[in-house]
Amino acid sequence: MRTAFVRRTVLSASAVSLALLVSACGGSSDSGTKSDAKASAPASASSAPAVKGKTDAELTPLLVTAADAPGFVVAPDAEAKLAAGDSDEITTDKPECKVLVQSQALQKIGTPTGTARTGVTAKAEEDPNATAEQKAQNALGVTATMVGLSSYDGTGAHDLIASIEAAGKACAGGFTATAEGDSTKYESVTAGTGAPVTYGDDDTASLVLTLDLEDGDKAVTYLTAVRTGSTVATFSSISLTGKPESPVTLVAAQSKKLG
């Protein structure tokens, strides 16, 4: 499976996975994308208290780490690699689906008071008898997850979850996204199991997005978003060699850290 097929939407996650591969084989701020994406579904103000959003400095230490989630490692220079897609202007043939692609790429949506993000990858299976080539293949097969935190004043966090949830239903039949002149076809969007509560809850959205690749293959990505107070934690998971694992463990660890 090639990283090129996803262009700027999940290319960042591929870079995170490859960075970990390089690290394993070797032995050992968001720039503020301007977005016109708005919540596509009305949110109930009574269910989301108008709280103050957190700043970049407050969010950064709240990001999940390998210490919070045993069995995972943090990609070296993850923030710098994830910044690769910050400047991309994404369009979709169905406007309500844009928030899904932006969330996959951890782009800034709306007017957050602060953001923070990292890349976390499951540890590759260790086999002391494996060759260097086998170790490299094992590293490529692990699930790479981009983790982003976005905080908002008022009901902004609640509204973002509502828009992702609504897009998951409105875009179930698929859509096409374009970035830098290159298009990616999403075959379907279905309910997922990446969040610790039932899909459909106002505070959680868990989706499985299936992409059509130019060579006729399919790619699967998991998109999970969970609100804790004024902050939304977003998880975008892929595997370079197959279907990724559901990020339930990371979601639980990140949610616990946010309190």
Side-chain angles (χ1 to χ4, degrees):
M1 186 181 295
R2 303 188 306 276
T3 58
F5 73 86
V6 288
R7 286 302 299 159
R8 312 305 287 179
T9 55
V10 290
L11 179 58
S12 297
S14 300
V16 168
S17 183
L18 289 172
L20 285 168
L21 167 62
V22 171
S23 185
C25 292
S28 62
S29 61
D30 205 306
S31 66
T33 298
K34 293 182 179 180
S35 167
D36 58 2
K38 304 294 183 182
S40 58
S44 171
S46 63
S47 62
V51 294
K52 187 71 175 175
K54 292 180 172 60
T55 64
D56 291 1
E58 291 172 319
L59 288 176
T60 298
L62 294 177
L63 279 169
V64 68
T65 66
D68 303 313
F72 293 85
V73 291
V74 176
D77 303 320
E79 169 61 29
K81 297 181 187 307
L82 292 173
D86 278 346
S87 61
D88 294 337
E89 182 60 34
I90 296 170
T91 60
T92 53
D93 60 343
K94 297 178 181 178
E96 61 270 29
C97 303
K98 183 176 180 179
V99 67
L100 299 180
V101 186
Q102 289 181 302
S103 296
Q104 274 191 299
L106 299 192
Q107 286 192 339
K108 188 178 290 185
I109 300 173
T111 55
T113 58
T115 59
R117 58 193 177 182
T118 189
V120 183
T121 303
K123 291 182 180 179
E125 183 178 347
E126 295 184 4
D127 181 355
N129 298 317
T131 65
E133 183 178 353
Q134 290 172 327
K135 289 180 179 179
Q137 186 63 27
N138 288 339
L140 281 174
V142 300
T143 296
T145 299
M146 297 188 294
V147 182
L149 302 179
S150 298
S151 201
Y152 297 84
D153 284 335
T155 62
H158 180 84
D159 295 344
L160 176 56
I161 291 291
S163 69
I164 295 173
E165 188 179 40
K169 298 171 183 176
C171 306
F175 63 96
T176 298
T178 302
E180 294 189 337
D182 291 321
S183 296
T184 300
K185 181 176 175 55
Y186 288 74
E187 179 183 89
S188 64
V189 180
T190 59
T193 58
V197 293
T198 304
Y199 172 78
D201 187 281
D202 285 341
D203 298 324
T204 302
S206 181
L207 304 171
V208 178
L209 291 80
T210 301
L211 295 77
D212 281 330
L213 310 186
E214 58 188 25
D215 56 8
D217 289 335
K218 309 290 182 183
V220 174
T221 69
Y222 285 122
L223 176 62
T224 306
V226 179
R227 180 179 73 85
T228 302
S230 64
T231 300
V232 173
T234 303
F235 307 80
S236 180
S237 304
I238 69 166
S239 171
L240 296 183
T241 59
K243 186 175 180 180
E245 295 181 357
S246 178
V248 172
T249 301
L250 284 177
V251 172
Q254 182 63 83
S255 296
K256 180 179 180 181
K257 194 161 187 178
L258 285 173

